[in-house]
Every structure is written in C-alpha cells, then in structure tokens.
Amino acid sequence: MRRTTGGPDGGGGRGRQRGPRRQRPKDVLHGHGGERGESFRCVACRLDVSVDAPGTAHRNHCPQCLASLHLDARIPGDRASACRGRMTAVGLSVRPDGEWLIIHLCLSCGGLSANRIAGDDHPLPLIRLATRPLADSGAPFRALLTL
C-alpha cells in the first residue's frame, strides 16, 4: 500500500495531486460526407462554432448556449450513437482535480453525458448552471422525498 503525505503539515491526504488530465487523441469528423470540418452550426442558437477550442482537443458543444448533439456512443469522438438528438446542458460537475464538466441530457432518448468545458465557453451560461440549485428553493425538499 502506498502512503501519501498531505501537505506541509505532513497530514495524510486522499490520493496524490495530479497535473491536468490528458486527453486521448481524436480525429472527429464534423464535415459533410465524413471529412474533417473546420466548424459546425449549433442546433440551438445557430452559431457557427469552430472545432478548435482552448483547453480541449475535442469541442462537442456550443460555447454560447452549451447545447450539443447526441453523436457519440461510448468514446468521445466515436460518432457511433444512432440517436442524433439535441442535448441540453442540465448541470455541472467538478472532478477532484478541479476541472469542470457540463452534464448534457438528450431530449430524444434521455441519455446523459459529461463533457469538459472549453476555455472559450461563455461564463454566463456556466454560472447559471452552477447556481441553478440555489435558485430552485424546492429542489432540496423534492430530492429528500425521492430517497
């Protein structure tokens, strides 16, 4: 069993600190006819979105409204999903290393996916997602009722 030292005080921490999470190399085909495209059009706000994004090797959502399409099945960039439904951002999650993930819900099949944010995502929709539970005063009560 490995032992970790927590910090300067020597207290034991949970796990070890790691650098930024590495991404798998992907060659995603956004263009018509299976070629690599330079951009795609958002299904929600119709913004033309560049596939290049700071902080991620694979852009899969609109930086303005955070909408996406249900294209991938198991691996990001595999384009193996038969659904092709519109996905809306419903929440945020944070990895132990501090990286934010957008939780998308498919409006066609109900599938969920977690996608890392990009460096050029508009901050306002991200903050709205983060504060949504605080704005809904009945959410904690309803959550308790489902237990």
Side-chain angles (χ1 to χ4, degrees), residues 11-81:
R14 297 184 79 198
R16 60 182 183 176
Q17 293 294 327
R18 296 183 183 146
R21 181 173 276 226
R22 291 188 346 195
Q23 296 185 45
R24 293 182 293 258
K26 303 171 194 88
D27 188 26
V28 179
L29 307 175
H30 288 283
H32 297 291
E35 73 274 358
R36 179 163 172 74
E38 296 298 320
S39 66
F40 63 91
R41 180 155 292 170
C42 175
V43 295
C45 70
R46 308 302 293 164
L47 179 72
D48 285 326
V49 179
S50 170
V51 295
D52 297 323
T56 182
H58 169 52
R59 172 173 318 270
N60 60 354
H61 62 273
C62 174
Q64 187 67 34
C65 69
L66 307 179
S68 184
L69 277 178
H70 193 181
L71 299 175
D72 300 332
R74 299 198 58 161
I75 300 169
D78 67 7
R79 299 302 191 244
S81 174

